[in-house]
Amino acid sequence: MTTDDVLLAADADGVRTLTLNRPKAYNSLTIELKERLLAALRDAAADDTVRAVVLTGTGKAFCAGQDLKEHVGLLQAGDPAPLRTVADHYNPIVKAIVDMPKPVIAAVNGPAAGAGAAFAYASDLRIAAESSNFLMAFANVGLGPDSGAAWTLQRLIGYGRAAELMLLARTVDAEEAQRIGLVGEVVADAELAQRAQTVAAKLAAGPTVAYSKIKGVLTLAAESTLDEALAAEEEAQGALGKTADHTEAVEAFVAKRRPNFTGA
């Protein structure tokens, strides 16, 4: 890995930080960056030493979305790649984030637009810098939402607000984003990286098997009947009750000590 890489990966305390690294282009998404990010997310999911993931960007932006210069150039050349990118890249990336069997934190260090914003919406937690903002600008270029934004955004802030942000392509600053539930926490720009690492390290030290089940049950319950949600909760509790982490937590509670979770 070098600082010239379009994607940087670093591990610390069970946390893998994936950093979009095209700062001069506001971390906009080229084919290379999309393919690298997808591979990195899949690697993180499969690596048992990784117990939490942070997604962030280098420089002044989190991610400006699709690199339109590359997009237009390929369209003008008659290359079919731009028409395949939703199926080949964006959909798999969002699935990799949502299905990640460990927590994903978006550390939104600056403007997040289009697919970049959608990646943040798909994450489990969002911590935003004061200078950050969010923009669903698809309508401005005659397109509809992609990267799961139609699914994730309205689950965060409701249909009405999601429709407003998409139809009007209105920018939401960090303060409003927290007020409407788009992000959970806003911190000073200089504090973002450390705060994200602190939260991620706390999660990495926790019962990661339980976190995976929690994510799965929440996703299912978002569009299931009560009976289906109850059945999913029952299955999850039955499986989690047999884990070493649950036994350790109970023993630690009785002994009045801090549990040592191993993810087993």
Side-chain angles (χ1 to χ4, degrees):
M1 180 184 73
T2 72
T3 56
D4 294 327
D5 287 342
V6 296
L7 183 74
L8 308 178
D11 292 343
D13 300 321
V15 178
R16 178 159 297 170
T17 300
L18 301 177
T19 304
L20 308 177
N21 189 44
R22 300 186 67 234
K24 293 181 180 179
Y26 299 101
N27 300 318
S28 57
L29 298 158
T30 59
I31 291 174
E32 179 188 11
L33 179 51
K34 286 178 281 191
E35 290 178 344
R36 289 281 303 279
L37 178 59
L38 178 57
L41 288 166
R42 288 173 171 170
D43 286 346
D47 189 338
D48 291 339
T49 68
V50 177
R51 294 167 61 88
V53 175
V54 171
L55 179 62
T56 192
T58 298
K60 296 181 179 180
F62 176 73
C63 178
Q66 174 65 41
D67 186 308
L68 292 180
K69 290 183 179 179
E70 180 185 77
H71 183 78
V72 170
L74 292 171
L75 284 176
Q76 291 175 339
D79 193 314
L83 304 179
R84 297 197 308 263
T85 195
V86 171
D88 291 351
H89 304 120
Y90 290 133
N91 289 353
I93 287 170
V94 168
K95 285 285 289 179
I97 293 171
V98 172
D99 294 342
M100 179 76 66
K102 52 202 80 175
V104 180
I105 298 171
V108 185
N109 57 295
F119 295 167
Y121 304 156
S123 301
D124 301 304
L125 301 176
R126 283 152 298 283
I127 303 173
E130 289 177 338
S131 67
S132 67
N133 58 62
F134 298 84
L135 175 63
M136 291 274 96
F138 294 104
N140 287 345
V141 291
L143 294 174
D146 61 31
S147 306
W151 191 88
T152 54
L153 184 57
Q154 65 177 308
R155 282 165 171 75
L156 291 172
I157 62 174
Y159 173 89
R161 282 197 172 110
E164 175 190 345
L165 298 188
M166 289 186 179
L167 292 173
L168 299 180
R170 182 171 67 80
T171 301
V172 175
D173 65 22
E175 180 182 1
E176 182 182 2
Q178 185 176 32
R179 177 169 55 80
I180 66 177
L182 188 55
V183 303
E185 186 176 357
V186 175
V187 300
D189 289 22
E191 299 172 4
L192 177 68
Q194 183 56 55
R195 178 58 182 159
Q197 287 295 319
T198 297
V199 174
K202 178 179 179 180
L203 291 168
T208 49
V209 177
Y211 293 153
S212 178
K213 289 289 188 183
I214 289 169
K215 290 182 61 169
V217 171
L218 281 172
T219 299
L220 181 146
E223 54 186 9
S224 71
T225 65
L226 173 60
D227 285 345
E228 290 168 338
L230 291 172
E233 290 178 347
E234 180 182 344
E235 183 278 330
Q237 292 294 59
L240 291 169
K242 299 173 184 177
T243 63
D245 275 353
H246 175 63
T247 300
E248 166 64 10
V250 172
E251 292 178 351
F253 177 82
V254 172
K256 297 182 179 180
R257 61 173 174 80
R258 183 187 292 264
N260 179 30
F261 294 116
T262 62

